[in-house]
Coordinates of all heavy atoms in Angstrom, one line a residue:
L19 N -5.3 7.8 -6.2 CA -6.6 7.3 -6.6 C -6.7 5.8 -6.4 O -5.8 5.1 -6.9 CB -6.9 7.7 -8.1 CG -8.3 7.4 -8.5 CD1 -9.2 8.5 -8.0 CD2 -8.4 7.2 -10.0
A20 N -7.8 5.4 -5.8 CA -8.0 3.9 -5.7 C -9.4 3.7 -6.3 O -10.3 4.5 -6.2 CB -8.0 3.5 -4.2
A21 N -9.5 2.5 -6.9 CA -10.8 2.1 -7.5 C -11.3 0.8 -6.9 O -10.5 -0.2 -6.8 CB -10.6 2.0 -9.0
C22 N -12.6 0.7 -6.6 CA -13.1 -0.5 -6.0 C -13.8 -1.3 -7.2 O -14.7 -0.8 -7.8 CB -14.2 -0.1 -5.0 SG -14.8 -1.6 -4.1
R23 N -13.4 -2.6 -7.3 CA -13.9 -3.4 -8.4 C -15.3 -3.9 -8.1 O -15.7 -4.2 -7.0 CB -13.0 -4.7 -8.6 CG -11.6 -4.3 -9.2 CD -11.0 -5.6 -9.7 NE -11.6 -6.0 -11.0 CZ -10.9 -6.0 -12.2 NH1 -9.7 -5.6 -12.3 NH2 -11.5 -6.4 -13.2
S24 N -16.1 -3.8 -9.2 CA -17.4 -4.4 -9.2 C -17.5 -5.7 -9.9 O -18.5 -6.4 -9.8 CB -18.4 -3.4 -9.8 OG -18.0 -3.1 -11.1
E56 N -10.7 4.4 -20.6 CA -11.8 3.6 -20.7 C -12.5 3.4 -19.3 O -13.7 3.5 -19.3 CB -11.4 2.2 -21.2 CG -10.9 2.2 -22.6 CD -10.4 0.8 -23.0 OE1 -10.3 -0.1 -22.1 OE2 -10.0 0.6 -24.2
E57 N -11.7 3.2 -18.3 CA -12.3 2.9 -17.0 C -12.7 4.1 -16.2 O -13.6 4.0 -15.3 CB -11.2 2.1 -16.2 CG -11.0 0.7 -16.8 CD -10.1 -0.2 -15.9 OE1 -9.5 0.3 -14.9 OE2 -10.0 -1.4 -16.2
L58 N -12.0 5.3 -16.4 CA -12.2 6.4 -15.5 C -12.6 7.7 -16.2 O -13.0 8.6 -15.6 CB -10.9 6.7 -14.7 CG -10.3 5.5 -13.9 CD1 -8.9 5.9 -13.4 CD2 -11.2 5.2 -12.8
G59 N -12.4 7.7 -17.6 CA -12.7 8.9 -18.3 C -11.7 10.0 -18.2 O -12.1 11.2 -18.4
V60 N -10.5 9.6 -17.8 CA -9.5 10.6 -17.5 C -8.2 10.5 -18.4 O -8.1 9.4 -19.0 CB -9.0 10.7 -16.1 CG1 -10.1 11.0 -15.1 CG2 -8.3 9.4 -15.7
E91 N -12.1 14.3 -14.5 CA -12.4 13.9 -13.1 C -12.8 12.4 -13.1 O -13.7 12.0 -13.8 CB -13.7 14.7 -12.7 CG -14.1 14.6 -11.3 CD -13.1 15.3 -10.3 OE1 -12.6 16.3 -10.7 OE2 -12.9 14.8 -9.2
P92 N -12.0 11.6 -12.4 CA -12.2 10.1 -12.5 C -13.6 9.7 -12.0 O -14.0 10.2 -10.9 CB -11.1 9.6 -11.6 CG -10.2 10.7 -11.1 CD -10.9 12.0 -11.5
R93 N -14.2 8.9 -12.7 CA -15.5 8.3 -12.3 C -15.5 6.8 -12.8 O -14.9 6.5 -13.8 CB -16.6 9.1 -12.9 CG -16.6 9.3 -14.4 CD -17.5 10.5 -14.9 NE -17.6 10.5 -16.3 CZ -16.7 10.9 -17.2 NH1 -15.6 11.4 -16.7 NH2 -17.0 10.9 -18.4
P94 N -16.2 6.0 -12.1 CA -16.3 4.6 -12.4 C -17.1 4.3 -13.6 O -18.3 4.2 -13.5 CB -16.8 3.9 -11.1 CG -17.6 5.0 -10.5 CD -17.0 6.3 -10.8
L95 N -16.5 4.0 -14.7 CA -17.2 3.8 -16.0 C -17.3 2.3 -16.3 O -18.2 2.0 -17.2 CB -16.5 4.6 -17.1 CG -16.4 6.1 -17.0 CD1 -15.6 6.6 -18.2 CD2 -17.8 6.7 -16.9
Q96 N -16.5 1.5 -15.8 CA -16.2 0.1 -16.2 C -15.7 -0.7 -15.1 O -14.6 -0.3 -14.6 CB -15.3 0.2 -17.3 CG -15.6 -0.5 -18.6 CD -14.5 -0.5 -19.6 OE1 -13.4 -0.8 -19.3 NE2 -14.8 -0.1 -20.8
D97 N -16.2 -1.8 -14.7 CA -15.6 -2.7 -13.7 C -15.4 -2.2 -12.3 O -14.8 -2.8 -11.5 CB -14.3 -3.2 -14.2 CG -14.4 -4.0 -15.5 OD1 -15.5 -4.5 -15.8 OD2 -13.4 -4.2 -16.2
H98 N -15.8 -0.9 -12.1 CA -15.6 -0.3 -10.7 C -16.9 0.2 -10.2 O -17.8 0.7 -11.0 CB -14.6 0.8 -10.7 CG -13.2 0.3 -11.1 ND1 -12.5 0.8 -12.2 CD2 -12.4 -0.6 -10.5 CE1 -11.3 0.2 -12.3 NE2 -11.2 -0.6 -11.3
S99 N -17.1 0.1 -8.9 CA -18.3 0.7 -8.2 C -18.0 2.0 -7.7 O -19.0 2.8 -7.4 CB -18.8 -0.3 -7.1 OG -17.7 -0.4 -6.2
E100 N -16.8 2.4 -7.4 CA -16.4 3.6 -6.7 C -15.0 3.9 -7.0 O -14.2 3.0 -7.1 CB -16.6 3.3 -5.2 CG -16.5 4.5 -4.3 CD -16.6 4.1 -2.8 OE1 -17.1 3.1 -2.5 OE2 -16.2 5.0 -2.0
V101 N -14.7 5.2 -7.0 CA -13.3 5.6 -6.9 C -13.1 6.6 -5.7 O -14.1 7.3 -5.4 CB -12.8 6.3 -8.3 CG1 -12.9 5.3 -9.4 CG2 -13.6 7.6 -8.6
R102 N -11.9 6.7 -5.3 CA -11.7 7.5 -4.0 C -10.3 8.0 -4.1 O -9.3 7.3 -4.5 CB -11.7 6.5 -2.8 CG -12.2 7.2 -1.6 CD -12.3 6.1 -0.4 NE -13.6 5.4 -0.4 CZ -13.9 4.5 0.5 NH1 -13.0 4.1 1.4 NH2 -15.1 3.9 0.4

Side-chain angles (χ1 to χ4, degrees):
L19 190 79
C22 186
R23 288 198 74 116
S24 55
E56 290 172 358
E57 295 188 346
L58 307 168
V60 298
E91 187 72 35
R93 54 199 190 281
L95 300 176
Q96 234 184 44
D97 296 340
H98 297 118
S99 57
E100 187 185 343
V101 297
R102 208 178 273 181

